[in-house]
Amino acid sequence: TMAPCLLTGPQSIFIEPSFELNGINGSREVYPFFKPFTGTSKIDLVAGEVITIVPTTTYEPQCKFAWIEDFEDAGVSFLYPAYSDTVFKTVNDVVREGRYSGAIYLDSKNKFFEAYSSSDFVIRSINSQALLEFDYKSNTLLEFGIYVLQDGVATYNTLVYIRPSAKWNRIYLDVHTTVDAYQSAEAFRPAFRAGWDSTGLTKQTIYMDNLKLIHF
């Protein structure tokens, strides 16, 4: 990426990584969990010349990784309701990173999928940044929502529908808005749903990898 600069001479550099919230074009925001890149010294900018900068960054030390699922272990950290026709399958032929990814297969006999985290998550701080992020590749629609546990009752809230992608794509989903709206909730459980589209392909597949729930 090239960025024009009107300044010359020794200048301080400040670069912040960004992302598209909920995969929406035009919703680009500063990624809150990485440290900004400032370099170790000023950079001498010369008019008419291209200066190459290779920024590096790390996670902020206060980040909490509440949930990590990379489908590399023998079991996965999901539970399934009785009405889910199918479950995550661990596969090694379509993988984003590592050895395995998780696959959801839908057809005329396996029409509905639902999975939610096997652990409850508690995020107490008001206005806390919280994102669920993962890589996916699919030829059908995927729904993301959150179960809110309040007064002993779990209520499902749909947050976003994720469009199909023929190539691996990383998406960052808004969790903190729901958390802020339910400050009296006891806990939260992220969930995924998908349904077989009778007007689409005979066999519909969703692959997922490198899932992380991060908050401060």
Side-chain angles (χ1 to χ4, degrees):
T1 301
M2 295 188 65
C5 182
L6 299 179
L7 300 176
T8 59
Q11 302 293 334
S12 298
I13 302 297
F14 185 90
I15 301 175
E16 291 182 302
S18 65
F19 71 105
E20 291 180 348
L21 186 62
N22 294 331
I24 300 173
N25 292 333
S27 64
R28 189 165 292 279
E29 299 185 12
V30 173
Y31 186 72
F33 304 119
F34 282 164
K35 294 180 178 180
F37 173 80
T38 57
T40 57
S41 61
K42 291 186 176 182
I43 296 177
D44 190 20
L45 301 181
V46 179
E49 292 189 5
V50 175
I51 307 297
T52 300
I53 300 173
V54 183
T56 59
T57 186
T58 59
Y59 282 103
E60 295 282 4
Q62 64 268 39
C63 286
K64 296 180 175 63
F65 296 86
W67 185 24
I68 296 178
E69 177 56 74
D70 54 12
F71 301 96
E72 298 296 318
D73 298 329
V76 296
S77 52
F78 287 97
L79 295 176
Y80 310 94
Y83 50 78
S84 182
D85 298 325
T86 186
V87 300
F88 271 113
K89 309 292 185 182
T90 301
V91 298
N92 60 10
D93 57 334
V94 181
V95 177
R96 179 64 179 89
E97 287 183 359
R99 299 173 299 164
Y100 302 102
S101 66
I104 304 164
Y105 298 116
L106 299 167
D107 54 34
S108 59
K109 294 183 179 179
N110 302 283
K111 294 184 177 181
F112 185 74
F113 168 86
E114 180 176 323
Y116 51 86
S117 62
S118 58
S119 299
D120 294 338
F121 300 105
V122 179
I123 307 173
R124 291 299 185 198
S125 57
I126 297 177
N127 296 321
S128 172
Q129 292 285 343
L131 294 173
L132 182 78
E133 54 188 70
F134 59 92
D135 299 306
Y136 74 97
K137 179 180 179 181
S138 70
N139 59 17
T140 192
L141 203 65
L142 175 65
E143 177 184 341
F144 170 68
I146 293 180
Y147 277 102
V148 178
L149 282 66
Q150 197 167 21
D151 299 325
V153 178
T155 303
Y156 179 78
N157 295 262
T158 299
L159 268 66
V160 65
Y161 291 96
I162 302 168
R163 296 178 180 177
S165 175
K167 61 180 181 179
W168 282 105
N169 184 43
R170 189 153 189 87
I171 192 166
Y172 304 83
L173 301 177
D174 176 12
V175 173
H176 61 262
T177 298
T178 301
V179 171
D180 288 346
Y182 293 92
Q183 283 296 312
S184 61
E186 296 143 29
F188 305 88
R189 286 196 178 193
F192 295 96
R193 288 179 174 179
W196 182 66
D197 180 3
S198 61
T199 65
L201 299 172
T202 302
K203 293 184 178 180
Q204 296 159 23
T205 309
I206 301 167
Y207 298 99
M208 292 177 58
D209 208 348
N210 302 322
L211 184 151
K212 295 177 182 178
L213 174 60
I214 312 176
H215 66 89
F216 286 131

